[in-house]
Structures are given as structure tokens and as C-alpha cells.
Amino acid sequence: MRTFSLKEIPESDARFPDLKGKTAIVTGGERGIGQGIAAFLGRQGMNIAILGVSSEEGEYATRQFLENDIPAFWRETDVSQAADVELALDQAVEHFGEIDLLVNNAAQNKIIDFLEYDEETYQATFEKNTRMVYNMSLQCARRMAIRQQGGIINISSVGGLRAHRQSVGYNATKGAVDAMTRAMALDLAPKGIRVNAVAPGAIINRPVSKRMQPVRDKQAEGIPLGRVGSVTDVAGLVGFLGSDVSSYITGQVIYVDGGLVTQLTPPGIYI
């Protein structure tokens, strides 16, 4: 299981009182960065609707939230399928009322060299990933537009600006997500809906085993701030962008990467 126990997700001193009592939809919120975002928003007093594909992890995460007085709802949902999204949103609204914030976190990647790509890999790592953001954003935005308010936050990646090796489809998705963020922000601004993207760098997105700790330590050596980020580092920015504190910010892609994309070369290499 790649899901954190709630006690493994660091708490934050950041507080956004205006989020209390509102409802957030978090796709892929049953594990990794999505789970960290769901936990952070839940600790701010939000109702959390988690949509994802792993029932075991989704039920486990939701149960922990409920046990810690975080109102939570789980539904196994393939958010790349418009009909499934519509049903899930209807149930979330029935459970909590209006949708105030959408966090498009769900995505998948296959580590594979470009020369080994086939149609199935391309569709799974680019077309499906992009469709997840499109489906959720369109259907939530239509609901938000009726009330003339709401927020959409897309979880992008440093891969939208700089390339990961053997991840052509994933990187292309994140570049598309950045472009979609800007375009949706323009169209939805008159409807009172803000759209932004958060682009994480190296993040500890699952419990770290003793075997993997040296890998994480090695990663930290190449990051200007000298550490790998936590899911709460990402979640804190999501909370800020979802709050009224950021009411004049829309159409932006903001990096949470310890300075990773700022540097031209890794430490110790000079040109």
C-alpha cells in the first residue's frame, strides 16, 4: 500500500480560516501528494471528497480522516470517463452540498524510453492524463459558474518545464496542463472562478522504506534547498491558492521544488 497513515503526514502551522465548512474534490486523493493535500485541507476544516481508482487505499485514507474528525467521502472513480465523473460529482454534492474547490491531482506515468513507446503507452500517459483534468474541470466549472464562485487547482510538475528521462507522455501531459490552466483561467475569470497550477519537484509521495532512504538522500544533494519536499509543502500552497487570501491570483503555474528548476546545472558542475 502506497498510502500514508495520517500521522505520517506532517501538520502545518498555516491557517486559512475561510476554507472551513467548504467542500473540496481531490482526485487521486487516496495516496501520495493527493492524500497530503486532502489531509491539509481537511485539517483546515474543509469537507473532503476523494475520487480515485484504488478502493483499498481510498477506504483506508477516508477511514482515517473520519476517525480524526475530518468529514470525508470516498468514491472509486475513473475521472477520465465523463459519465463516471458526473455520477461522482452528483454523489459528492448530495453528501456535502456545493463544490467550492477542485484539485486535479490524478495522473499516471510509465517509465519507458521513447523508442519503446506504443499506442497504448501514449494513450495511457498523455491522452488519459489530459482527459482527467479536462473532464473534472469542465463539469465542476459548470456547477461553480452557476454560483459565480469557485477554484480549480491543477497539480502539474517540474516536468512541464524541464524533462524527466523516459517520461515523454507524462511530461507532455504536464506541459498541456500548464497551458490548460492559463486558458481556463481566462475563460472562467468572468464567472468568478480562479484557476491555478502547482508544480511539485522531488517530493516524498509515499512512505519511505529504509532501502529507499539513500536514494532520497542522494536526490537532496541536487536540490538548492538541500532536501526533498514533503506532501505538506505542496498542500500548503494548494491551501493558499484555494483561500480568499489569493483572490487576485489566477492563471499561474507556481513551482514547489526547493529551487530545482531555477538552477542551470547541478551542484559541483560549472559551465
Side-chain angles (χ1 to χ4, degrees):
M1 185 181 291
R2 294 181 288 176
T3 301
F4 294 100
S5 67
L6 193 58
K7 65 182 179 181
E8 292 176 303
I9 301 175
E11 295 212 35
S12 171
D13 292 332
R15 293 291 180 268
F16 302 103
D18 64 286
L19 295 179
K20 186 174 182 179
K22 294 182 177 180
T23 297
I25 306 281
V26 183
T27 68
E30 73 270 37
R31 63 171 70 144
I33 291 174
Q35 186 192 7
I37 292 169
F40 179 90
L41 296 177
R43 286 166 172 165
Q44 300 294 319
M46 295 194 80
N47 307 313
I48 307 299
I50 301 172
L51 309 183
V53 295
S54 173
S55 286
E56 180 184 7
E57 292 174 315
E59 290 168 3
Y60 174 75
T62 302
R63 185 166 60 250
Q64 287 191 84
F65 287 179
L66 293 172
E67 289 172 353
N68 286 272
D69 299 320
I70 296 175
F73 164 83
W74 156 257
R75 186 183 188 277
E76 183 176 349
T77 309
D78 181 351
V79 297
S80 71
Q81 301 299 314
D84 207 9
V85 168
E86 185 173 8
L87 288 172
L89 294 182
D90 285 345
Q91 290 182 20
V93 168
E94 183 179 352
H95 200 80
F96 287 131
E98 303 294 346
I99 299 168
D100 300 286
L101 179 65
L102 166 64
V103 182
N104 280 313
N105 169 74
Q108 60 185 25
N109 187 21
K110 289 186 177 182
I111 307 299
I112 184 171
D113 189 84
F114 180 60
L115 292 177
E116 298 175 10
Y117 259 58
D118 55 24
E119 188 68 15
E120 181 182 354
T121 302
Y122 170 77
Q123 289 179 350
T125 60
F126 178 71
E127 290 186 350
K128 185 173 183 178
N129 279 344
T130 308
R131 199 158 58 243
M132 291 180 188
V133 176
Y134 165 79
N135 283 340
M136 289 298 305
S137 297
L138 181 61
Q139 296 205 38
C140 282
R142 284 173 172 168
R143 295 165 186 260
M144 293 173 178
I146 296 172
R147 300 168 60 217
Q148 294 283 297
Q149 62 181 0
I152 297 173
I153 300 173
N154 299 321
I155 304 304
S156 182
S157 167
V158 293
L161 181 66
R162 303 282 188 266
H164 299 99
R165 288 179 173 82
Q166 298 182 312
S167 298
V168 171
Y170 179 82
N171 289 331
T173 295
K174 296 308 183 179
V177 165
D178 292 351
M180 290 170 69
T181 297
R182 291 185 285 267
M184 287 193 296
L186 293 182
D187 286 353
L188 295 176
K191 302 297 184 182
I193 302 168
R194 295 188 296 113
V195 186
N196 290 289
V198 172
I203 303 294
I204 297 175
N205 59 6
R206 66 186 68 178
V208 180
S209 65
K210 290 183 179 180
R211 182 178 64 85
M212 286 298 296
Q213 190 60 54
V215 176
R216 291 301 194 180
D217 293 341
K218 188 67 176 176
Q219 276 185 308
E221 294 176 7
I223 298 171
L225 286 183
R227 69 177 178 88
V228 177
S230 75
V231 293
T232 304
D233 290 320
V234 180
L237 180 56
V238 171
F240 169 75
L241 291 173
S243 167
D244 292 341
V245 176
S246 63
S247 63
Y248 202 52
I249 299 175
T250 195
Q252 302 304 305
V253 179
I254 304 176
Y255 295 90
V256 186
D257 66 352
L260 188 63
V261 300
T262 300
Q263 63 188 354
L264 179 64
T265 56
I269 297 177
Y270 303 94
I271 59 173

